[in-house]
């Protein structure tokens, strides 16, 4: 651990723990979770008598209180280490000695531990937790106090979590007794265009890595000699899938996800999502519902590099007191170039650049790549063709893409139309064999067919061959008519039932004799698989990655002190942060979130009445 | 022809799908691929509706039947997700329901995004 850490530990411990221990502080100490490492000896005190108090008188005072001196400590032997009588409470003894006019100072006998370093094999890649230059959240100091946050449920509202991942599996929420055996819920189904909720929040394929990455930063299993550790070594991760495979999610799914998490007992919610736009009342109400049920909600500031005070970004810009909005910091603890900021909306910074964490294990097949698949694209009559010079604009880039087209002139300036009485199939076979695990088919077609007459279809056949050959093993995925100008811009289908060595996937165009239109072009066809029990990791960056560092700290704080409310937790994270000049004037606190600082933060007493006479 | 394209996942596919010299492209007016179905960041035709106390979901049918109703889904906390065949747009919907004795509030179903890696990495090149 760097010198910086050592200095910081002394500073924090001295300033926040050792120096006068108020009755309020003691209340907090007394509430520390049972599983946390003790921070003081339960039946000992250090008492400093005032100058001039003779040793015999000191001994009388000690024995009068039913205790005994066991050691003289300190440079000038002025501290007495006192052993309390059996059954005497530390808090009561502190009050008794403090009230004695002969006593100058009294405090618990604190316990210091060697800094905790987990044995996870990739631990040295987690600069956000332990950075040689000292720019980190001081996780190791915090771990001296607590590593186990399993008394707290942390809901990850995202693209699902690979709950079979070897570094996450034992830290997943067990909802089976409540009827949720898959560690959460899925409020999406296949895509935002086809909401079909179910009780399985497992990502559909490897492409849905986002939520799994976030979950790992919060609570990948620590000290298991494998992979990484999260901010918490143990926790209960509740997976709530509200975003689809391309990372899009609707207000309706998100508010249902929040309600689910709150109702099922989550005390911290992580939402690494957002959009630049207008105020969303339903979403805001859901945040309020979380607040009213004492739930902390941690959200991302956004990755546009813009000021959220001038360009609204939600949910960051909601104003509920249970909301923490997080900017991203790089390894030098400068604001990441991509990170949004805002003096009135963004609260703290946290590590968000080159963050290494858990991701699913799987593959992505680009079906339009001729080298993918165990066959090339096959057709039943040649009306479908493959055009590798079809032009598209992607953002500011003009490019050409290999595209499945029908008619063959679809990419031309004047494409013509598909044939009358079309019955045109195109399909390709892939080896998707697996010992278990899911798969998804994603594609973005441009569809223009005669509404309710001509159809575009997709299907698969787990035994190979033409998936439209009329055999019983054909599984239809889509039947679409008309144009997808305003919706259904992409389609995602669960392909898990096609995890065979001969999974054929295909598209079909059918028409009648009249009014043929411009047909179909499919520039993007992707198959994504996910293997169970994976142990894969990946480096990502973004405010999405900063947010779970803070959610992890929130879980840690709430686990450390079970009586902490959302307000206590938010205050501890905001005020217990580490001052950072780079955040001054662009966040509400000017602080980087700090785990040790948050644990050490002691709220000022509230409800104190001062009477002036 | 204005077309939208998907997010970074499909951008990835594009990379491997075979980018070539734009001089060889055939169409004069390329199709546009974008990640969102609408520039307004909302799902076309979908609205979140809260009814005034005591009103039943049948009220929704009365209020919105002129647009054709694809589906009505009961959400938590007394809210409904309604999907319309013809979308008059949020302004028209808001105007229609502003003084309604049936509707407490109505809003679009907005689309949010996960915060993708700031420096997008082609998935297929991993």
């Amino acid at each position: 651990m760097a010198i910086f850490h050592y200095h910081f530990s002394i500073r924090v411990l001295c300033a926040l723990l050792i120096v006068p221990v108020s009755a309020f502080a003691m209340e907090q100490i007394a509430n520390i979770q049972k599983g946390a490492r003790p921070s003081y000896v339960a039946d000992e005190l250090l008492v400093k008598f005032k100058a001039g108090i003779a040793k015999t008188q000191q001994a009388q005072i000690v024995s009068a209180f039913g205790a005994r001196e066991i050691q003289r400590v300190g440079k000038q032997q002025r501290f007495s280490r006192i052993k309390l009588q059996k059954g005497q409470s530390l808090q009561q003894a502190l009050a008794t000695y403090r009230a004695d006019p002969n006593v100058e100072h009294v405090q618990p006998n604190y316990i210091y531990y060697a800094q905790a370093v987990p044995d996870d094999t990739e631990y040295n890649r987690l600069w956000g937790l332990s950075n040689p230059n000292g720019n980190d959240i001081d996780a190791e100091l915090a771990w001296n106090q607590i590593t186990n946050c399993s008394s707290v449920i942390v809901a990850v509202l995202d693209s699902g979590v690979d709950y079979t991942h070897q570094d996450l599996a034992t830290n997943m929420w067990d909802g089976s007794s409540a009827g949720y055996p898959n560690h959460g819920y899925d409020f999406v189904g296949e895509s935002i265009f086809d909401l079909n909720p179910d009780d399985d929040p497992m990502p559909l394929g490897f492409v849905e890595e986002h939520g799994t990455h976030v979950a790992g930063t919060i609570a990948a299993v620590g000290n298991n000699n494998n992979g990484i550790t999260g901010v918490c070594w143990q926790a209960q991760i509740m997976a709530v899938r509200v975003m689809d495979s391309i990372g899009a999610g609707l207000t309706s799914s998100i508010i249902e996800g929040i309600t689910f998490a709150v109702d099922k007992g989550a005390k911290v919610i992580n939402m690494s999502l957002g959009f630049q736009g207008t105020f969303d009342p339903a979403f805001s109400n859901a945040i309020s519902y979380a607040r009213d049920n004492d739930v902390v909600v941690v959200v991302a500031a956004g990755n546009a590099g813009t000021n959220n005070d001038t360009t609204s970004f939600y949910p960051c810009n909601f104003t509920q007191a249970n909301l923490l909005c997080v900017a991203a910091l790089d390894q030098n603890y400068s604001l990441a170039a991509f990170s949004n900021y805002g003096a009135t909306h963004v609260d703290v910074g946290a590590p968000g650049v080159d963050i290494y964490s858990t991701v699913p294990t799987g593959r992505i097949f680009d079906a339009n790549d001729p080298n993918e698949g165990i066959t090339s694209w096959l057709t039943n009559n040649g009306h479908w063709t493959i055009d590798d010079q079809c032009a598209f604009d992607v953002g500011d880039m003009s490019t050409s893409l290999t595209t499945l087209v029908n008619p063959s002139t679809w990419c031309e300036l004047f494409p013509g139309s598909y044939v009358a009485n079309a019955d045109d199939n195109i399909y390709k076979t892939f080896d998707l064999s697996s010992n278990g695990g899911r798969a998804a088919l994603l594609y973005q077609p441009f569809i223009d067919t005669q509404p309710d007459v001509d159809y575009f279809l997709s299907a698969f056949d787990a035994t190979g061959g033409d998936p439209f050959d009329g055999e019983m093993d054909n599984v239809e995925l889509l039947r679409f008519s008309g144009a997808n100008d305003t919706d259904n811009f992409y389609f995602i289908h669960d392909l898990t039932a096609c995890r065979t060595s001969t999974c054929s996937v295909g598209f079909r165009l059918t028409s009648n004799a009249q009014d043929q239109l411009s047909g179909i072009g499919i520039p993007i066809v992707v198959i994504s698989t996910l293997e169970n029990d994976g142990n894969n990791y990946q480096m990502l960056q973004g405010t999405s990655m900063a947010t779970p560092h803070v959610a992890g700290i929130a879980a840690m704080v709430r686990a450390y002190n079970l009586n902490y409310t959302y307000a206590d937790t938010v205050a501890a994270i905001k005020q217990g942060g580490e001052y950072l000049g780079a955040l001054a004037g662009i966040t509400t606190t000017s602080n980087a979130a700090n785990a040790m600082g948050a644990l050490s933060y002691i709220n000022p007493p509230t409800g104190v009445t001062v009477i002036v006479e | 022809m204005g077309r939208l394209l998907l997010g970074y996942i499909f951008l990835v596919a594009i990379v491997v799908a075979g980018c070539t010299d734009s001089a060889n492209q055939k169409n004069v007016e390329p199709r546009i691929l974008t990640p969102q179905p609408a520039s307004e960041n909302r799902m076309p035709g979908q609205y979140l509706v809260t009814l005034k106390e005591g009103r039943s979901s049948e009220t929704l049918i009365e209020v919105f039947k002129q647009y054709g109703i694809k589906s009505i889904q009961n959400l938590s906390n007394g809210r409904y997700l309604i999907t319309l065949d013809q979308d008059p747009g949020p302004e028209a919907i808001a105007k229609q329901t502003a003084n309604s004795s049936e509707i407490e509030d109505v809003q679009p179903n907005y689309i949010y995004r996960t915060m993708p890696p700031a420096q997008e990495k082609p998935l297929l090149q991993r």
Side-chain angles (χ1 to χ4, degrees):
Chain A
M1 178 56 63
I3 291 172
F4 174 89
H5 273 151
Y6 175 75
H7 286 167
F8 183 76
S9 68
I10 296 300
R11 188 176 74 234
V12 169
L13 291 171
C14 290
L16 298 172
L17 291 175
I18 297 176
V19 187
V21 181
S22 68
F24 184 84
M26 280 310 302
E27 283 175 13
Q28 302 233 339
I29 288 172
N31 288 332
I32 287 171
Q33 182 207 347
K34 194 177 177 184
R37 282 172 121 177
S39 56
Y40 56 91
V41 182
D43 60 351
E44 291 187 11
L45 288 178
L46 295 179
V47 178
K48 183 182 182 184
F49 289 96
K50 286 181 178 172
I53 307 296
K55 284 187 178 177
T56 50
Q57 190 181 353
Q58 292 178 20
Q60 287 171 356
I61 294 168
V62 170
S63 61
F65 292 153
R68 63 187 171 89
E69 182 184 74
I70 55 176
Q71 189 184 6
R72 282 268 157 176
V73 293
K75 211 170 187 179
Q76 295 168 336
Q77 301 282 296
R78 289 187 57 200
F79 275 94
S80 293
R81 183 179 164 203
I82 303 297
K83 185 88 170 173
L84 305 181
Q85 65 177 336
K86 200 171 182 181
Q88 190 174 13
S89 84
L90 191 73
Q91 198 164 354
Q92 183 187 30
L94 272 169
T96 303
Y97 280 96
R98 191 176 293 117
D100 191 301
N102 299 304
V103 172
E104 182 179 315
H105 176 72
V106 59
Q107 68 168 69
N109 193 10
Y110 290 105
I111 302 172
Y112 293 83
Y113 297 93
Q115 289 183 350
V117 178
D119 65 3
D120 299 272
T121 51
E122 304 284 343
Y123 176 65
N124 63 357
R125 303 181 76 158
L126 308 179
W127 73 265
L129 306 184
S130 176
N131 191 346
N133 69 11
N135 295 323
D136 56 44
I137 66 166
D138 278 321
E140 291 180 358
L141 288 173
W143 291 334
N144 288 326
Q145 302 302 317
I146 183 169
T147 58
N148 186 346
C149 316
S150 58
S151 56
V152 176
I153 299 171
V154 186
V156 175
L157 267 67
D158 211 293
S159 58
V161 175
D162 175 7
Y163 50 75
T164 69
H165 194 290
Q166 292 178 29
D167 224 358
L168 289 171
T170 59
N171 277 355
M172 297 302 301
W173 172 64
D174 181 4
S176 26
S177 62
Y180 302 98
N182 297 314
H183 314 283
Y185 203 80
D186 174 11
F187 288 94
V188 180
E190 296 187 324
S191 81
I192 60 171
F193 301 106
D194 186 22
L195 295 178
N196 187 22
D198 59 58
D199 73 349
D200 193 349
M202 180 68 100
L204 272 182
F206 174 72
V207 290
E208 293 183 28
E209 62 191 359
H210 195 269
T212 304
H213 198 277
V214 165
T217 297
I218 295 170
V221 179
N223 209 36
N224 62 343
N225 197 30
N226 176 48
I228 64 161
T229 181
V231 175
C232 293
W233 293 9
Q234 296 92 27
Q236 294 186 67
I237 297 289
M238 176 191 286
V240 184
R241 188 167 177 266
V242 297
M243 314 300 279
D244 72 12
S245 290
I246 73 153
L250 300 171
T251 301
S252 54
S253 298
I254 293 168
I255 63 175
E256 292 298 275
I258 292 173
T259 302
F260 176 90
V262 170
D263 290 349
K264 299 298 176 287
K267 285 299 168 192
V268 178
I269 291 175
N270 187 101
M271 284 193 285
S272 294
L273 54 86
F275 90 139
Q276 236 169 34
T278 52
F279 179 75
D280 184 337
F283 198 162
S284 179
N285 288 344
I287 302 284
S288 296
Y289 181 71
R291 178 200 58 205
D292 296 344
N293 287 277
D294 193 27
V295 179
V296 176
V297 179
V298 189
V299 301
N303 291 345
T306 52
N307 185 345
N308 287 0
D309 293 352
T310 54
T311 306
S312 295
F313 188 85
Y314 292 100
C316 174
N317 280 30
F318 292 134
T319 56
Q320 285 84 348
N322 61 328
L323 194 77
L324 277 165
C325 180
V326 185
L329 301 171
D330 66 17
Q331 295 190 29
N332 293 316
Y333 260 28
S334 298
L335 184 74
F338 57 77
S339 179
N340 290 8
Y341 51 90
T344 59
H345 290 105
V346 179
D347 296 307
V348 293
V353 174
D354 290 340
I355 302 302
Y356 192 70
S357 188
T358 47
V359 292
T361 295
R363 280 196 64 187
I364 294 175
F365 299 82
D366 171 19
N368 285 358
D369 181 348
N371 297 318
E372 292 279 18
I374 57 177
T375 70
S376 57
W377 286 104
L378 304 171
T379 73
N380 64 336
N381 58 20
H383 291 156
W384 282 95
T385 57
I386 300 168
D387 192 324
D388 62 2
Q389 297 295 328
C390 206
F392 294 89
D393 281 348
V394 182
D396 296 331
M397 179 177 69
S398 182
T399 188
S400 61
L401 305 174
T402 300
T403 304
L404 309 183
V405 295
N406 189 343
S408 62
T409 55
W410 189 84
C411 297
E412 305 289 342
L413 180 58
F414 302 105
S417 58
Y418 49 83
V419 301
N421 300 311
D423 186 9
D424 306 340
N425 306 341
I426 186 168
Y427 59 95
K428 186 172 181 176
T429 305
F430 301 86
D431 181 357
L432 303 184
S433 54
S434 164
N435 293 324
R438 307 186 76 170
L441 169 66
L442 307 85
Y443 54 99
Q444 184 177 14
F446 289 52
I447 308 170
D448 185 23
T449 61
Q450 184 68 19
D452 301 321
V453 177
D454 302 340
Y455 286 89
F456 169 71
L457 300 91
S458 65
F460 72 80
D461 185 335
T463 62
D466 187 342
F468 302 102
D469 60 10
E471 300 294 329
M472 292 294 288
D473 49 12
N474 299 163
V475 178
E476 186 175 294
L477 297 169
L478 174 74
R479 179 179 290 261
F480 188 96
S481 186
N484 62 338
D485 276 337
T486 57
D487 60 6
N488 288 293
F489 278 45
Y490 55 90
F491 296 89
I492 302 169
H493 304 295
D494 189 339
L495 212 59
T496 305
C498 204
R499 295 298 310 258
T500 66
S501 60
T502 55
C503 171
S504 64
V505 173
F507 303 103
R508 184 182 199 189
L509 175 63
T510 64
S511 67
N512 69 359
Q514 291 92 34
D515 299 327
Q516 290 74 44
L517 301 180
S518 63
I520 315 290
I522 317 174
I524 297 167
V525 183
V526 174
I527 293 172
S528 174
T529 65
L530 185 151
E531 309 304 330
N532 286 342
D533 307 318
N535 198 34
N536 197 17
Y537 303 84
Q538 190 124 28
M539 198 89 82
L540 295 177
Q541 59 188 358
T543 52
S544 280
M545 284 67 239
T547 305
H549 281 92
V550 177
I553 294 173
M556 182 180 270
V557 167
R558 299 200 80 157
Y560 190 63
N561 190 328
L562 296 175
N563 287 343
Y564 255 23
T565 63
Y566 80 78
D568 297 323
T569 308
V570 168
I573 291 171
K574 283 184 175 180
Q575 308 312 323
E578 178 185 355
Y579 175 80
L580 203 60
L583 296 177
I586 58 170
T587 56
T588 63
T589 64
S590 308
N591 287 343
N594 188 283
M596 187 62 214
L599 289 182
S600 307
Y601 178 76
I602 297 171
N603 276 343
T606 56
V608 174
T609 303
V610 177
I611 300 172
V612 179
E613 294 180 340
Chain B
M1 182 182 195
R3 291 282 187 162
L4 303 184
L5 157 66
L6 306 177
Y8 71 107
I9 288 169
F10 288 169
L11 282 172
V12 170
I14 285 164
V15 171
V16 181
C19 299
T20 56
D21 187 346
S22 58
N24 293 328
Q25 294 169 356
K26 294 179 183 175
N27 355 13
V28 175
E29 187 183 3
R31 293 168 172 88
I32 301 168
L33 294 168
T34 85
Q36 305 276 61
S39 58
E40 301 162 74
N41 260 6
R42 66 181 181 88
M43 181 60 81
Q46 289 194 353
Y47 293 90
L48 295 166
V49 185
T50 307
L51 295 173
K52 289 192 169 163
E53 200 168 335
R55 302 294 192 273
S56 73
S57 59
E58 291 176 2
T59 305
L60 294 170
I61 298 170
E62 279 304 307
V63 173
F64 295 103
K65 65 182 178 188
Q66 60 185 303
Y67 307 116
I69 297 172
K70 275 186 184 171
S71 66
I72 297 174
Q73 185 184 346
N74 194 356
L75 305 180
S76 56
N77 300 320
R79 192 171 275 113
Y80 295 90
L81 171 62
I82 185 164
T83 304
L84 306 176
D85 277 323
Q86 293 95 40
D87 186 359
E91 285 184 13
I93 291 283
K95 193 174 176 183
Q96 180 193 340
T97 57
N99 299 313
S100 169
S101 58
E102 318 283 344
I103 306 293
E104 182 71 36
D105 63 61
V106 59
Q107 69 162 81
N109 201 11
Y110 292 110
I111 299 173
Y112 290 81
R113 309 276 303 178
T114 52
M115 304 291 98
Q119 295 171 0
E120 293 172 353
K121 299 171 184 175
L123 291 173
L124 290 170
Q125 293 182 347
R126 286 175 185 166

